[in-house]
Amino acid sequence: MDNNRILTDFWNLLNITSDYLKTGDKEEHSGLTISTDSLEKIAEEISVCTKCKLCETRNKTVPGSGSVNPALMIIGEAPGADEDKSGLPFVGRAGQYMDKWMDAISLEREKHLFLTNIIKCRPPGNRDPHPDEMAACLPFLQRQINIIKPAIILSVGRISSQVLTGKNEGIGRLRGKVYKYRGASLIPTYHPSGVLRNPEEYRKPVWEDLKQVKVCLDNINLNE
Ligand code: URA
């Protein structure tokens, strides 16, 4: 299947699942609609989710973790082996390396970040997530974003950056710009595992992207 076809299938599936987003998790009170959704509720739903075949091979679901009021939300692709074992995002080598990026801009995991992925279960052998798997899982991420309302999102890697920008381009072309996603400033960058494989090529652009994150953070602090 070529890339355009994959993207078209993905957006078609997304339209089907968007109906799901418009229902549930809300209550009427004297004419006002109040959301009763919560990160805990979403994590519970994810833990018993059977919407795609990844439920057959996962060990633990990985809903995401961190601050409920983060300075920055980081969105990766999918859990790897370490995350599938622990149920926590970005705990393997790539995640530990990403902690160093955050250190460089004075952000701490539990205090300043919420970390999650486009899909919440590990694809076998770390293969790319399939379009139907992403479409089935994306409503969970959108509900998390509705609750957290991040001002800034850092998408790491090609897959999460393509899904959130809606653009079918390589990460080298997507990065270097600030986009909007559900009210947040979205900054795409390389995936930490890619940078670990090829630091000579990717370390410098990642540092540029982190400086952009810092500019956005500083702008928010100035306006508060
Ligand atoms: N890579 C990701 O994209 N996400 C994780 O949680 C771990 C590795």
Side-chain angles (χ1 to χ4, degrees):
M1 229 193 289
D2 66 34
N3 268 347
N4 283 338
R5 173 75 196 287
I6 290 174
L7 204 71
T8 310
D9 284 355
F10 174 61
W11 290 117
N12 287 344
L13 282 160
L14 213 58
N15 286 335
I16 298 165
T17 52
S18 74
D19 285 346
Y20 165 80
L21 269 179
K22 290 176 197 146
T23 59
D25 307 308
K26 293 187 183 80
E27 279 174 12
E28 284 277 321
H29 290 280
S30 326
L32 280 179
T33 307
I34 295 175
S35 172
T36 56
D37 210 4
S38 71
L39 293 176
E40 292 73 22
K41 194 166 169 180
I42 297 167
E44 260 175 51
E45 285 178 36
I46 292 171
S47 72
V48 293
C49 178
T50 55
K51 288 191 209 309
C52 82
K53 59 191 173 307
L54 295 180
C55 67
E56 292 164 16
T57 49
R58 73 184 174 216
N59 285 303
K60 287 196 174 161
T61 54
V62 186
S65 74
S67 162
V68 286
N69 185 21
L72 178 67
M73 184 169 188
I74 302 184
I75 303 178
E77 176 179 321
D82 295 306
E83 292 77 20
D84 175 68
K85 230 181 264 161
S86 65
L88 294 168
F90 286 104
V91 289
R93 193 162 166 249
Q96 289 166 29
Y97 179 46
M98 204 168 67
D99 285 341
K100 294 191 181 149
W101 299 2
M102 294 300 116
D103 251 11
I105 52 171
S106 308
L107 297 180
E108 287 170 39
R109 211 179 246 247
E110 297 305 326
K111 202 164 158 194
H112 301 117
L113 306 174
F114 188 88
L115 305 174
T116 189
N117 288 294
I118 297 289
I119 61 169
K120 316 300 190 193
C121 298
R122 182 189 184 210
N126 295 347
R127 64 157 168 78
D128 285 356
H130 293 164
D132 63 318
E133 294 160 355
M134 293 193 280
C137 215
L138 198 62
F140 291 128
L141 176 66
Q142 292 175 328
R143 285 168 60 194
Q144 288 173 319
I145 291 173
N146 287 348
I147 292 166
I148 292 172
K149 297 185 178 52
I152 312 169
I153 296 174
L154 181 70
S155 57
V156 294
R158 173 181 58 88
I159 300 241
S160 62
S161 301
Q162 284 183 339
V163 169
L164 299 180
T165 61
K167 291 181 189 291
N168 190 19
E169 287 174 8
I171 183 64
R173 289 181 70 86
L174 290 174
R175 65 155 295 278
K177 299 179 199 104
V178 182
Y179 303 79
K180 275 281 168 198
Y181 186 75
R182 295 189 155 236
S185 296
L186 168 67
I187 300 171
T189 196
Y190 290 100
H191 195 282
S193 59
V195 188
L196 280 169
R197 276 195 300 271
N198 192 347
E200 288 308 306
E201 191 169 347
Y202 299 136
R203 246 191 3 216
K204 192 159 173 278
V206 166
W207 179 236
E208 295 302 319
D209 298 333
L210 293 177
K211 282 197 288 191
Q212 183 60 64
V213 170
K214 193 86 176 81
V215 167
C216 291
L217 284 171
D218 290 345
N219 282 343
I220 290 166
N221 289 337
L222 271 182
N223 291 323
E224 265 173 6

